[in-house]
């Protein structure tokens, strides 16, 4: 059966938006609601300001891994998890604006819109309510996920606004059970976003209400905290996710790209979720396995232990010099720490090992 509305008359977007001269909402209310819905067992969010960011991998290494430090009063302990609400890249916000301008050429990112929930809306999973009034820039950057592959029904919604009959029929096919295999190959395997699809189907000119309905909400992301205790700062170890599709398209992770792209002074909200690790007493030896950025909670626990506490860390990386994270710090700062390093792409084949 069809996975989208059968006609424009049968379709009711979740919100009715109107341009307004009213002041935009501050934004923290929406962010707090999104963090609570996306991670119900996290603490109330705390304000955070980026204090420092430093690349941990070599400049000529293929993957960017950064140590990111926020100044924040958020309380946490070793082994806990930070919950953050990312932002879409400015370039993707610009792409979304270009698509919306197919219908309204005068749209501006700094215009303010009032958003009123509409009765009888459909085809939407649970999501935090939009701000009562917000600029188009804020809604597109913070309230909807511009990088995620769309749901089939989202393409059915977009078909309602395609002027080219062939493109409209193909979008309808992608939204139905008949087009399940095509949807898997075209959307899922290639990780095409709704923006990618609409750039291919360039006769589709959705209004703002329909585009916001078709896009999923921007969910919080969780990162193991790499520092021992809260109150003043919070540190993360973040690898910018990168992957190539079967057809050779390079995609980057939305949240990791946002975190790696932040510069000192940038503001965010951070909530904390209790972690699954509990540090043993300092007198007890600790054995930790932490390959790659999985070393973050290990670093936090090592720093929380008394100087000289016996700790054995099994760490894994790909290259003995380019992505061996925190190597100098571990060697110089913790006398009770022994690090066993496995290098999966060691220059000497006989010395190649993996941590699993």
């Amino acid at each position: 059966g069809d996975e989208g509305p059968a006609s424009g008359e049968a379709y009711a977007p979740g919100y009715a938006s109107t341009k307004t001269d009213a002041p935009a909402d501050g934004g923290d209310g929406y962010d707090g609601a999104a963090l609570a819905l996306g991670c119900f067992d996290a603490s109330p969010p705390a304000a955070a300001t980026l204090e420092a960011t430093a690349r941990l991998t070599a400049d000529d290494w293929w993957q960017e891994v950064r140590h990111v430090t926020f100044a924040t009063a958020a309380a946490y302990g070793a082994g806990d998890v930070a919950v953050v609400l990312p932002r879409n890249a400015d370039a993707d916000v610009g792409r979304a604006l270009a698509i919306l301008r197919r219908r309204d050429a005068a749209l501006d990112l700094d215009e303010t819109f009032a958003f009123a929930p509409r009765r009888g809306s459909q085809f939407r999973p649970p999501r935090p309510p939009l701000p009562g009034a917000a600029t188009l820039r804020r809604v597109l950057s913070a309230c909807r996920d511009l990088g995620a592959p769309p749901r089939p029904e989202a393409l059915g919604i977009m078909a309602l606004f395609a002027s080219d009959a062939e493109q409209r029929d193909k979008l309808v096919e992608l939204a139905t059970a008949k087009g399940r295999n095509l949807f898997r190959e075209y959307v899922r395997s290639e990780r095409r976003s709704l923006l990618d699809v609409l750039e291919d189907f360039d006769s589709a000119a959705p209004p703002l209400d329909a585009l916001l309905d078709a896009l999923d909400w921007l969910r919080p992301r969780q990162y193991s905290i790499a520092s021992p205790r809260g109150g003043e700062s919070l540190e993360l170890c973040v690898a910018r996710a990168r992957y190539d599709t079967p057809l050779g398209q390079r995609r980057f992770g939305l949240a990791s790209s946002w975190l790696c792209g932040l510069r000192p002074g940038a503001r965010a909200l951070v909530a904390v979720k209790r972690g699954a690790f509990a540090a043993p007493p300092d007198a007890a030896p600790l054995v930790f396995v932490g390959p790659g950025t999985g070393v973050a909670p290990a670093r936090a626990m090592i720093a929380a232990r008394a100087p000289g506490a016996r700790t054995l860390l099994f760490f894994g990386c790909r290259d003995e010099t380019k992505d061996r994270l925190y190597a100098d710090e571990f060697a110089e700062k913790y006398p009770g720490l022994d690090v066993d390093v496995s290098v999966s792409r060691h220059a000497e084949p006989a010395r190649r090992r993996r941590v699993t």
Side-chain angles (χ1 to χ4, degrees):
D2 287 355
E3 299 290 341
S7 66
E9 292 74 14
Y11 171 58
Y15 284 86
S17 63
T18 54
K19 295 180 183 180
T20 179
D21 293 327
D25 294 350
D28 286 355
Y30 174 85
D31 288 352
L35 286 167
L37 180 60
C39 190
F40 66 90
D41 54 349
S43 67
T49 302
L50 188 74
E51 191 171 74
T53 177
R55 181 163 178 143
L56 297 177
T57 47
D59 290 339
D60 60 349
W61 186 241
W62 67 273
Q63 185 172 46
E64 179 182 7
V65 180
R66 302 192 77 86
H67 186 80
V68 178
T69 303
F70 288 98
T72 178
Y76 63 88
D80 285 347
V81 176
V83 186
V84 297
L85 193 64
R87 297 290 185 262
N88 290 298
D90 289 344
D92 287 336
V93 172
R95 293 168 65 201
L97 177 64
I99 289 166
L100 290 169
R101 281 178 170 171
R102 295 173 185 172
R103 177 172 288 265
D104 183 352
L107 269 181
D108 187 276
L109 287 174
D110 294 321
E111 288 183 289
T112 300
F113 286 79
F115 296 95
R118 178 182 278 135
R119 287 176 174 266
S121 60
Q122 52 192 317
F123 311 116
R124 299 184 337 278
R127 58 182 67 178
L130 288 174
T135 64
L136 182 58
R137 184 188 307 276
R138 169 156 179 79
V139 171
L140 293 178
S141 66
C143 302
R144 292 293 182 264
D145 192 333
L146 301 183
R151 296 166 285 121
E153 57 266 35
L155 302 187
I157 293 173
M158 294 298 97
L160 299 173
F161 307 101
S163 58
D164 179 86
E166 184 178 351
Q167 291 189 7
R168 182 170 58 250
D169 291 346
K170 186 57 69 175
L171 284 168
V172 169
E173 180 184 353
L174 286 164
T176 63
K178 175 185 176 183
R180 186 180 296 120
N181 291 337
L182 179 61
F183 179 86
R184 183 166 54 248
E185 294 172 4
Y186 173 70
V187 177
R188 292 295 179 186
S189 294
E190 286 298 302
R191 290 199 59 82
R192 282 185 170 90
S193 68
L194 186 60
L195 301 186
D196 294 328
V197 173
L198 290 174
E199 287 172 345
D200 286 346
F201 290 79
D202 56 4
S203 77
L208 176 59
D209 297 349
L211 184 66
L212 295 180
D213 223 24
L215 290 163
D216 203 353
W217 67 287
L218 188 52
R219 286 172 165 77
R221 291 352 190 235
Q222 301 182 20
Y223 292 88
S224 293
I225 298 173
S227 45
R229 61 188 62 83
E232 295 182 356
S233 65
L234 183 150
E235 301 170 31
L236 303 176
C237 179
V238 181
R240 189 184 185 201
R242 190 189 86 174
Y243 39 87
D244 294 329
T245 71
L247 294 181
Q249 294 296 310
R250 180 154 293 173
R251 312 290 189 194
F252 292 94
L254 187 153
S256 60
S257 294
W258 171 71
L259 280 168
C260 287
L262 291 177
R263 291 300 175 259
R267 296 178 61 250
L269 286 182
V270 178
V272 173
K273 177 181 176 181
R274 294 303 165 203
F277 300 110
D282 288 339
L286 172 65
V287 178
F288 214 109
V289 179
T293 57
V295 76
R299 180 182 185 268
M301 289 196 177
I302 291 166
R305 288 165 67 79
R310 294 177 57 201
T311 307
L312 173 60
L313 170 64
F314 290 94
F315 177 74
C317 57
R318 298 191 180 192
D319 186 276
E320 57 266 39
T321 61
K322 296 185 183 297
D323 67 333
R324 186 172 168 180
L325 309 181
Y326 304 111
D328 292 341
E329 176 183 320
F330 287 155
E332 299 168 3
K333 193 172 180 180
Y334 305 107
L337 172 64
D338 290 319
V339 182
D340 182 284
V341 180
S342 295
V343 181
S344 63
R345 298 182 183 179
H346 200 286
E348 301 175 30
R351 297 179 62 184
R352 293 174 181 170
R353 292 192 302 163
R354 294 178 182 273
V355 174
T356 57

